[in-house]
Amino acid sequence: MLDKKNILIGVTGGIAAYKVVEVASRLKKSGANVRVMMTRNAAEFVSPRTFQEITGNAVSVEMFGDAANFHVAHIALADFADAILIAPATANFLAKAAHGIADDLLTTTVIASDKPLIIAPSMNTKMFDNPATQANLQILRGRGAIILEPATGELACGTSGKGRLPEPAEICAAVEKHLSLVPCPLSLKKILVTAGGTVEAIDPVRYIGNRSSGRMGYEIARAAVDAGADVVLISGKSEVEPPTGLKFVKVEAATQMREAVLAEFDSVDAVIMSAAVADYRVKNPAAQKIKKSADTLTLELVKNPDILRELGSLKKNQVLIGFAAETQNILDYARKKLVEKNLDFIVANDVTATGAGFGVATNIASIIWRGGEVENFSKMSKADLADKIIARVANLLSCD
Ligand code: CTP
């Protein structure tokens, strides 16, 4: 619920502006006090009066003239807001906001605000994919703005592709999440997530792998992006598509994952190590495909570096989270790893339990804290568990 939260919606001139009427209505029904500001172009698509009727508040369009109750309209609007939602956000808005251009009431209010800024871009696919738009999004993300990924589907211009405004329910859920679910938004925090399983070569054709699907780690990365963090996802082999809105680094072997993780470590605020890292690798992988000959074949394995243990010994202020995928004595083994790897908490699960473990969309996990407290979660989707993990990471990181 958004009880008594003040939400300022900025509507810019895209055809999806009509969908934002429902967004405003839903936010109001959730208990928020909603105000709307519009660009002149947006007012060509939807009448300010519509928003006025829905929100019960005056709608601001012009820098001078309307909003008669305010002394300095943009400052008053910026001060009013607990959060600003820009929906739909046009390519033009993104460019202006990224470069500090303030040439109308809406962009001036955005620059006058230090509150969470949630942006829902919507436009033609080519405009969205244009390097200029992508660079502007990157700049805004870097400053802590929360960017909601556009949906894929039919677009107003008659084409089909990425660029649709997400459904009103999704936009409202994102706003709620930022204002209530996540105790401290992760804007301006950098989070490193590892996921998937490492692949240790035997020869150019075969490898030693594991059953990790990457689902849990990818959900954690998605949850961190949703919470406004700057996210780096370093992934081994995975069965799922990586989330968008983050830096994605693909690796194969544990040694490569270690290099990639260490390259980022100094610049991150938290590491969530959900990757299934192979403990051993083949000592001398064959340069050519191994041909079938003798009845038995012996591979000599050597120990891989323990990445998380290394991070635990290097860590300064970083929050460190580990995973313990076990098949027996779950809490005992997990506690041992928590201490030995110098973690803030560890997420433990029995990978043999029905509804948990590899390849399924759900998980049954416990979080064990340094102080010894244990939080047991019942079966839930990996997405929900990821949100819970990220909420706890947010609590651990200082918010200011
Ligand atoms: N981990 C790591 N590097 C490794 C092995 C594990 O960084 N070489 C990390 C995992 O990503 C996980 C945590 O350490 O967050 C625990 O991994 P797990 O495989 O459960 O434990 P191990 O320490 O490898 O111990 P064991 O395999 O004996 O259970």
Side-chain angles (χ1 to χ4, degrees), residues 120-141:
S122 171
M123 66 200 74
N124 160 280
T125 310
K126 284 189 180 146
M127 292 172 79
F128 183 73
D129 287 341
N130 188 294
T133 305
Q134 289 301 317
N136 292 332
L137 284 168
Q138 216 33 53
I139 290 174
L140 291 166
R141 267 193 203 102

Side-chain angles (χ1 to χ4, degrees), residues 170-222:
E170 276 173 49
I171 296 178
C172 295
V175 172
E176 254 185 67
K177 182 178 280 176
H178 287 289
L179 286 176
S180 44
L181 282 187
V182 176
C184 153
L186 285 169
S187 303
L188 302 180
K189 299 289 179 197
K190 188 169 174 189
I191 311 260
L192 168 58
V193 181
T194 67
T198 63
V199 164
E200 310 297 332
I202 297 171
D203 67 17
V205 180
R206 290 104 171 186
Y207 61 83
I208 299 174
N210 60 63
R211 293 180 194 277
S212 171
S213 66
R215 278 191 179 79
M216 190 66 239
Y218 281 28
E219 284 296 348
I220 292 170
R222 187 268 318 145

Side-chain angles (χ1 to χ4, degrees), residues 199-338:
V199 164
E200 310 297 332
I202 297 171
D203 67 17
V205 180
R206 290 104 171 186
Y207 61 83
I208 299 174
N210 60 63
R211 293 180 194 277
S212 171
S213 66
R215 278 191 179 79
M216 190 66 239
Y218 281 28
E219 284 296 348
I220 292 170
R222 187 268 318 145
V225 171
D226 284 356
D230 182 7
V231 180
V232 182
L233 172 59
I234 298 177
S235 174
K237 195 169 186 304
S238 148
E239 291 166 11
V240 287
E241 282 293 307
T244 47
L246 46 69
K247 177 175 166 191
F248 183 67
V249 182
K250 189 93 192 122
V251 295
E252 292 205 334
T255 46
Q256 284 172 2
M257 181 170 279
R258 174 180 173 273
E259 300 256 302
V261 166
L262 290 179
E264 299 283 351
F265 189 57
D266 282 346
S267 69
V268 302
D269 298 291
V271 180
I272 304 169
M273 195 77 202
S274 75
V277 186
D279 288 331
Y280 294 89
R281 68 178 180 278
V282 177
K283 187 173 182 191
N284 295 308
Q288 304 300 331
K289 186 182 172 197
I290 300 173
K291 300 307 280 182
K292 182 166 57 201
S293 54
D295 283 349
T296 59
L297 172 71
T298 305
L299 293 172
E300 191 181 352
L301 303 180
V302 290
K303 217 177 199 174
N304 266 331
D306 187 321
I307 305 169
L308 192 52
R309 185 185 287 259
E310 195 172 343
L311 300 185
S313 66
L314 291 175
K315 92 167 175 182
K316 296 190 182 92
N317 298 317
Q318 293 96 333
V319 163
L320 270 194
I321 312 301
F323 269 72
E326 307 289 351
T327 56
Q328 58 177 346
N329 302 334
I330 296 141
L331 293 185
D332 286 347
Y333 283 142
R335 260 189 210 106
K336 198 160 172 276
K337 290 173 189 175
L338 170 80

Side-chain angles (χ1 to χ4, degrees), residues 13 33 39 52 59 74 85-86 126 135 163 216 229 235 252 289 321 341 360 396:
N33 184 17
T39 60
Q52 191 170 312
V59 172
H74 58 282
L85 165 69
I86 307 293
K126 284 189 180 146
M216 190 66 239
S235 174
E252 292 205 334
K289 186 182 172 197
I321 312 301
K341 303 193 186 197
V360 294
L396 284 171

